[in-house]
């Protein structure tokens, strides 16, 4: 499976959620929703939209504490890279002053 680098959508919703790039592969988005979005879009985990892909990959593989660590059995390296690029290409939206405005 080939993953294309996601591009930013200019229109975002009005809460602290990940803005979905228009070209995001559906499977990549589903993996994000299943493994990341439940906490990072619900305010349980920090906003990760826009974070560098390499940092997201490192955190997902080595995490300790409240965030679970995801092994290669959980998410393949190829899929984790695609999800990390999706996150990096996205921008947080705001409902208050805690997050940067979407551009």
């Amino acid at each position: 499976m080939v993953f294309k680098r996601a591009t930013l959508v200019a229109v975002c919703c009005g809460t602290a959620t990940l803005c979905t790039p228009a070209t995001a592969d559906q499977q990549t988005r589903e993996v994000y929703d299943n493994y990341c979005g439940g906490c990072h879009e619900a305010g349980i985990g920090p906003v990760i939209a826009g974070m560098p892909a390499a940092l997201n990959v490192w955190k997902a593989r080595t995490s300790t504490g409240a965030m679970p660590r995801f092994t290669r059995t959980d998410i393949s390296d190829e899929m984790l890279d695609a999800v990390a690029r999706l996150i990096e290409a996205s921008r947080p939206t705001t409902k208050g002053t805690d997050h940067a405005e979407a551009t």
Side-chain angles (χ1 to χ4, degrees):
M1 179 178 286
V2 176
F3 297 101
K4 297 178 182 175
R5 184 159 181 90
T7 57
L8 179 67
V9 162
V11 178
C12 297
C13 46
T15 59
T17 60
L18 188 70
C19 301
T20 307
T23 59
D25 178 84
Q26 183 61 32
Q27 185 178 10
T28 303
R29 181 63 198 193
E30 288 174 6
V31 170
Y32 171 82
D33 290 343
N34 291 333
Y35 287 92
C36 313
C39 291
H40 293 286
E41 290 195 32
I44 296 167
V47 173
I48 57 175
M51 289 179 65
L55 178 60
N56 282 306
V57 169
W58 175 81
K59 185 68 173 167
R61 292 288 190 234
T62 64
S63 186
T64 59
M67 181 173 155
R69 181 181 317 170
F70 298 104
T71 67
R72 286 175 179 84
T73 304
D74 299 321
I75 306 172
S76 70
D77 286 339
E78 182 180 55
M79 180 55 73
L80 182 58
D81 287 342
V83 171
R85 288 191 309 271
L86 169 70
I87 294 166
E88 182 178 58
S90 301
R91 297 292 175 256
T93 59
T94 61
K95 190 168 185 169
T97 58
D98 294 338
H99 308 290
E101 289 291 333
T103 57

